[in-house]
Amino acid sequence: MSEHSANPSSTVAATGRPLAVKAVIPAAGLATRFLPATKAVPKELLPVVDRPVLQYIVEEATQAGIGDVLLITGRGKTSMVDHFDRRPDLETRLEEKGDAERLAAVRRPSELAEIYTVRQPEQLGLGHAIGYAESHVGDQPFAVLLGDEFVKPSEPLLPAMLELQARTGGVVLAFFEVDPAETKRYGIASVEPAESELTDIGEVVRVTGMVEKPQPEDAPSNLAVLGRYVLPGKIFDAIRRTKPGSGGEIQLTDAMELLRTEGTPVHAIVYRGTRYDTGMPLGYLQTVVQIAAEREDLGAEFRSWLADFVKADAAGGSGT
C-alpha cells in the first residue's frame, strides 16, 4: 500500500489541467563506469549510507504526491523490484528481536508507492526507453526522474515542475547553473524570460533551444539540464517520429525539440537547491560523504573522523 494520498483536489492545477500523478524512472543502463561492482548489482541499488540511490529517487517522487512509479529495467535488474517488495521472513526476525527501528526501515520501501516495471530489451537511448512507458502512462502528463541523481528533500524541485506543466500543458525541464568551462559535459539550453503569469512558481524560463555538450565558446548559456522532466502524453508520438541521433540512439532531447518546433511550449525551472549526482564514481562518493555528514545519527562522529583523516592525510599520515 502506498503512503501517497489520492486526494482528487491535489491532482488538478488552477488551470483545470491535471497534474501528473505517475513517474517513470529509466534504469536499464549497464553502468559501465562502476564496473565490476555493477556486474551483478544494479547501479541504482548502490547504497548511500543505508539506502540505495533508487529509494531516494522514489521518495522524491512520492514527496511530490506521485504514488505510481514505473521502472524501465533491463536484464539482471530484477533486484530493483525486490527492494520495493515485502520481506516477511526478515520482518518476522526483526519483530522477534524487538528491533522496531530497522523493521520500519525494511518496510518503508514497500509503502512508498505502487511500483510497476517494463523491460527495455536494448539500450537505444533515453527517448527509446521512455517510449516503453506509453502503455502505462497513456495520454496523460507524467514525470521522468533519471536514476542517478536526486535533490535534497528539504529543497524540493518536482512539485513546482508539476504545477508548471499543468499550467502550460507543455514540456517542463529543470536546469542548474554550471561553470562556463564545464558546458562540454552537459546538455545546455538557450532561454528567454518566461511569461509573467508563470513567475510565481519560481525561477521559470522559456526554452528556445538545446545543445548537447557544447564547447564553452559555443554554449548559449551556462544552464545545464538536470535529470528531471515533466512531459505531456504527446511525447510518445514525437519519439516514434524521432530518428536516431547522437551515438545512433533515439534521444529524448530530439523528441522534445521536435515538439517545440511544432508549437508545444517548453519551459524550465532553474534549480538553486542541493543536487546529488551519483552517475559517476566521484559524484557518488561526494554524495555518500555529504549525506553521511548531515545524518543526525552519524554526522557528528563522521565529520570528526573525516576532519582527522583529511588533517592526517595532509600531513602525510594514513588518517587511521
Side-chain angles (χ1 to χ4, degrees):
M1 181 67 179
S2 165
E3 67 180 23
H4 167 69
S5 175
N7 179 359
S9 66
S10 69
T11 62
V12 179
T15 59
R17 293 193 186 99
L19 289 167
V21 294
K22 295 183 179 183
V24 175
I25 302 177
L30 298 175
T32 54
R33 293 187 182 96
F34 286 86
L35 287 171
T38 50
K39 179 182 177 182
V41 178
K43 178 183 71 173
E44 295 81 6
L45 292 187
L46 294 179
V48 177
V49 187
D50 54 5
R51 275 183 283 168
V53 173
L54 185 59
Q55 183 172 330
Y56 284 93
I57 295 168
V58 172
E59 288 172 346
E60 183 181 336
T62 60
Q63 184 186 17
I66 291 175
D68 181 308
V69 176
L70 177 69
L71 303 178
I72 310 293
T73 69
R75 292 180 186 85
K77 294 207 164 188
T78 56
S79 55
M80 290 193 303
V81 183
D82 293 339
H83 179 72
F84 295 95
D85 199 358
R86 293 289 298 270
R87 274 289 303 273
D89 57 331
L90 180 57
E91 292 173 24
T92 298
R93 184 67 179 270
L94 292 170
E95 282 181 313
E96 291 172 347
K97 292 175 63 178
D99 195 338
E101 183 176 350
R102 285 190 175 87
L103 176 61
V106 166
R107 284 179 172 167
R108 178 167 169 75
S110 66
E111 298 169 345
L112 288 171
E114 303 298 334
I115 304 294
Y116 303 89
T117 65
V118 64
R119 178 169 290 191
Q120 182 189 15
E122 292 182 272
Q123 284 72 62
L124 299 177
L126 180 57
H128 180 260
I130 298 302
Y132 279 88
E134 183 173 14
S135 61
H136 185 79
V137 171
D139 60 359
Q140 297 300 304
F142 63 101
V144 174
L145 297 85
L146 298 194
D148 53 14
E149 57 185 300
F150 56 96
V151 304
K152 195 170 185 176
S154 61
E155 300 166 352
L157 166 64
L158 204 52
M161 294 182 68
L162 298 177
E163 174 67 23
L164 180 58
Q165 197 283 328
R167 288 206 205 173
T168 65
V171 171
V172 172
L173 309 175
F175 297 150
F176 66 104
E177 286 193 317
V178 297
D179 188 290
E182 296 296 306
T183 58
K184 59 182 178 293
R185 295 179 50 200
Y186 301 97
I188 302 295
S190 56
V191 303
E192 63 185 22
E195 300 88 328
S196 59
E197 63 268 22
L198 298 175
T199 55
D200 65 301
I201 296 176
E203 191 173 346
V204 180
V205 293
R206 189 177 183 103
V207 180
T208 59
M210 286 177 282
V211 182
E212 190 66 27
K213 299 179 181 178
Q215 292 298 317
E217 61 271 18
D218 299 322
S221 74
N222 69 330
L223 295 176
V225 178
L226 193 153
R228 296 292 178 270
Y229 312 79
V230 185
L231 304 172
K234 58 186 173 182
I235 190 67
F236 297 115
D237 177 66
I239 289 171
R240 281 190 290 272
R241 294 186 286 125
T242 298
K243 299 185 183 302
S246 176
E249 297 180 334
I250 298 173
Q251 300 294 345
L252 180 61
T253 298
D254 294 340
M256 294 188 298
E257 179 66 9
L258 176 59
L259 287 183
R260 190 189 68 80
T261 60
E262 293 176 345
T264 297
V266 180
H267 293 82
I269 291 177
V270 181
Y271 182 64
R272 306 280 182 190
T274 303
R275 164 182 171 267
Y276 302 107
D277 184 356
T278 64
M280 293 188 291
L282 178 59
Y284 170 73
L285 292 172
Q286 290 169 335
T287 297
V288 172
V289 170
Q290 284 179 268
I291 289 181
E294 294 170 356
R295 287 269 295 253
E296 290 186 6
D297 57 339
L298 299 172
E301 187 174 354
F302 178 67
R303 287 193 301 271
S304 176
W305 173 85
L306 189 61
D308 290 343
F309 175 81
V310 172
K311 185 177 180 180
D313 184 66
S318 67
T320 59

